[in-house]
Each structure stands twice: as C-alpha cells, then as structure tokens.
Amino acid sequence: MTAILAALGTAHSIANIGAGTGSYEPDDRPVLALEPSSKMVRQRPHTAHPAVRAVAEALPLRDHAVDAALAVLTVHHWSDWRAGLTELRRIAPRQVVLAYDTHRHTEFWLVRDYIPEIADVELTRPSADDIATELRADSVTALPLPWDFTDGVFPAYWRRPAAYLDPRVRRACSALAQTNPDAVERGIDRLRHDLNTRRWHERHRNLLDLDRWDAGFRLIVSHT
C-alpha cells in the first residue's frame, strides 16, 4: 500500500477501477470506486468509499474527471484490456496500475512442478510489460512479496506451501479457480505428498531463507 500511495503522489481525487472490496484505496482523499460485480460491491465495508457499477472499457466519467486512475490487479480480468487502459488515460492525467509479469508467474514452483496447466491461463493475459508499453509508462517498479504477505494473491504463499492445500485459499486465486479442477486436484495431491515427505522443503530450501521474493508484481505509473 505504501508504494501505491507514493505513486498516487499529490493526486487529490482518484478513480479506482476494478475496485473490488477497496483493499488498496487511500482513505485520506476522495475516491470513486468503479466495480462491475454487484457481489463485490456488496462486500465493501460500510466505511469504504462510494462505489458505482461500471466496466473499465466504458467508464461513466468525463475526460480528466479525476487526478489519478488506479487499477490494482484487475487489468488481466478485463474483456478488452487495451480499451480499458485507453479509458484510464481519458479520465485522468495520471495512471497507476499494479500488474504482474505473466511469464514470471508461469515459472512459480506451484505452476512448474505441480499444476503446469495454470500456464495456459496465465499466458492468455496481458503481462506487466504489455501494459507498460500500452500506457507509455514513465516508471515500472518491481514489488517483491514478503514471505508473510496477507493478501491472498496467487503466489502469496511462495514460502508457505501448505496454504495451497486449503480450498478457501485456492478459490481466492483466479489462476487456480479458472484452471481445470481435475488438474488442480492432481497437482495439490502431489504437493501434499511432497510436503508430507519433506521433498518440497529439500527442493526449495533456498526460498526458506528469503524474506522477500520477486513474484513478478510491477507498479506501473504513467502521466499523460
């Protein structure tokens, strides 16, 4: 969150596109949340900023309506990501986008060693480099994940592999939720076996000494 706040800088008004439950919204300035899912809107806490149902590709805002457009781990879900980014540039002179390197995700041990089918999903999505190029980004900053990261993004448990045995964790990860359930189940069975035999720990002992790991997350900032 600190990096996102720094990227927003002195922007006084913000539109958060694909806002979800509002986990990454600053609370010290006006924010308009735009979220297509009524379910997600209902899950926003009563103290959250106001939310409007809208899709990224057709934002109900005038040109330069806000100082900054924020999009956190959402671009890969858009039906037309280029059109969505064009909308971000239309409504705000500053765009702050948190995305990830899809190729880096396919190299994650859970994909490489256990559920390679996830790569078929990931490689259909826009990567951070694609987004940065489309936005003509001024900066792209790597954001390594701490080992105890609390947001349940797909590689969040890179040093806590047993977490992936929990169905609730898997349901919260779109890459897992969108992969063939049989493939996921086979991979999780192999992971469970390797955890029980300590094989996983032997193969990945280098990770156990790390406090942070680069899972491919990139903070992209552009000014237009």
Side-chain angles (χ1 to χ4, degrees), residues 16 19-20 23 36 52 62 84 90 93 97 99 103 108 191 196 201 206:
N16 186 16
S23 301
V52 173
R62 60 178 172 78
R90 180 183 66 80
V97 177
H103 292 278
F108 179 39
L191 174 59
N196 289 338
H201 299 80
N206 61 310

Side-chain angles (χ1 to χ4, degrees), residues 111-125:
V111 180
R112 185 187 63 243
D113 299 339
Y114 298 99
I115 316 174
E117 293 84 356
I118 291 175
D120 296 333
V121 175
E122 292 290 359
L123 294 178
T124 65
R125 295 172 162 180

Side-chain angles (χ1 to χ4, degrees), residues 14-15 17 32 34 58-66 87 90-91:
I14 298 162
I17 292 84
L32 174 62
L34 298 121
L59 297 173
L61 296 175
R62 60 178 172 78
D63 294 358
H64 283 201
V66 292
E87 281 288 86
R90 180 183 66 80
I91 67 166

Side-chain angles (χ1 to χ4, degrees), residues 1 5 13 32 35 37 78 92 109 114 132 143 148 159:
M1 187 65 189
L5 289 176
S13 57
L32 174 62
E35 166 59 46
S37 168
W78 299 351
W109 58 259
Y114 298 99
L143 298 180
D148 56 352
R159 214 184 86 175

Side-chain angles (χ1 to χ4, degrees), residues 15-174:
N16 186 16
I17 292 84
T21 59
S23 301
Y24 292 94
E25 293 171 4
D27 57 10
D28 60 347
R29 66 197 90 175
V31 176
L32 174 62
L34 298 121
E35 166 59 46
S37 168
S38 57
K39 179 180 179 181
M40 296 300 291
V41 170
R42 288 195 299 269
Q43 291 177 8
R44 292 173 65 85
H46 72 277
T47 56
H49 295 284
V52 173
R53 286 193 63 195
V55 296
E57 298 86 347
L59 297 173
L61 296 175
R62 60 178 172 78
D63 294 358
H64 283 201
V66 292
D67 296 323
L70 175 65
V72 177
L73 297 179
T74 179
V75 175
H76 59 280
H77 291 304
W78 299 351
S79 59
D80 185 339
W81 63 273
R82 288 186 174 88
L85 294 179
T86 297
E87 281 288 86
L88 263 62
R89 299 182 70 198
R90 180 183 66 80
I91 67 166
R94 178 180 299 184
Q95 303 86 42
V96 177
V97 177
L98 179 59
Y100 63 90
D101 182 334
T102 54
H103 292 278
R104 182 77 174 167
H105 271 210
T106 64
E107 295 167 358
F108 179 39
W109 58 259
L110 184 62
V111 180
R112 185 187 63 243
D113 299 339
Y114 298 99
I115 316 174
E117 293 84 356
I118 291 175
D120 296 333
V121 175
E122 292 290 359
L123 294 178
T124 65
R125 295 172 162 180
S127 193
D129 285 345
D130 301 320
I131 295 167
T133 298
E134 190 72 17
L135 286 176
R136 297 195 287 274
D138 296 294
S139 66
V140 178
T141 305
L143 298 180
L145 286 181
W147 75 271
D148 56 352
F149 194 55
T150 56
D151 191 326
V153 293
F154 173 47
Y157 308 99
W158 58 270
R159 214 184 86 175
R160 296 168 288 165
Y164 292 109
L165 304 183
D166 186 339
R168 293 170 298 180
V169 168
R170 300 199 297 274
R171 284 195 296 268
C173 300
S174 64

